[in-house]
Amino acid sequence: MLAMRARPIPKGFTLIEILVVLLIVTILAGVTIARLPAFAQNADFDAERRRLQLLFTMARQESILDSTEFGFRLTDNGYKFLEYDDGSQSWADAESPFQERSLSDELKLIIKADSDGFSLMGQNLPPVLILSSGENTPFRLILQSRLEKTSRILMSAGYGEFVWDEQ
């Protein structure tokens, strides 16, 4: 009987196998990197959405606890909360955490408020009022993402919680 010699089993990868794996990894990395800006913009949109709801809720709670009136107004590149000063009977910029905030270029705010029925002394009345009685101006605050073509609406009927509704 002839003794058969076993061929040694190769212990490695061929050049073709390594090149195929590198090609697949390169394609996956390219697809992932191309989508990174969209992930970051979506994160900005979600963060701003959560921030707005939190600030409105905090303003309502603070207005009731401290018997003060808050206002909300859009600025050229963002938004700010105002506080009514009874002494001077005028609106002043609110302090932290309600300070003026800027929006990124990809985000846009539109406000639609029904201010009929509210009258406070002072000039330049903000479009949205948050009163110490627990009432607020009925409004719809539309947050839009220009690149993602997404929008959400923060709504209030004048009482109760501020809620987001998808458009």
Side-chain angles (χ1 to χ4, degrees), residues 71-102:
F72 177 82
R73 168 175 289 137
L74 299 180
T75 61
D76 292 336
N77 60 351
Y79 59 90
K80 65 180 175 179
F81 283 85
L82 304 165
E83 192 172 344
Y84 188 72
D85 181 20
D86 288 325
S88 66
Q89 294 190 347
S90 64
W91 292 95
D93 291 349
E95 296 177 6
S96 181
F98 304 108
Q99 74 271 13
E100 184 172 345
R101 298 184 187 272
S102 298

Side-chain angles (χ1 to χ4, degrees), residues 5 14 31 34 55-56 58 65 77 93 119 134 136 153 164:
R5 287 187 141 188
T14 65
V31 168
L55 286 171
F56 271 95
M58 288 173 54
L65 291 173
N77 60 351
D93 291 349
S119 60
N136 61 273
I153 302 172
W164 285 100

Side-chain angles (χ1 to χ4, degrees), residues 91-139:
W91 292 95
D93 291 349
E95 296 177 6
S96 181
F98 304 108
Q99 74 271 13
E100 184 172 345
R101 298 184 187 272
S102 298
L103 293 173
S104 66
D105 292 337
E106 294 84 27
L107 299 178
K108 180 181 177 183
L109 275 177
I110 301 168
I111 193 161
K112 296 181 180 180
D114 179 18
S115 58
D116 295 341
F118 286 104
S119 60
L120 285 177
M121 294 292 210
Q123 296 177 329
N124 208 6
L125 193 65
V128 174
L129 300 175
I130 302 169
L131 305 177
S132 59
S133 63
E135 298 175 271
N136 61 273
T137 307
F139 71 93

Side-chain angles (χ1 to χ4, degrees), residues 9 29 63 66 84 98 147:
I9 300 174
S63 70
D66 294 343
Y84 188 72
F98 304 108
L147 297 178

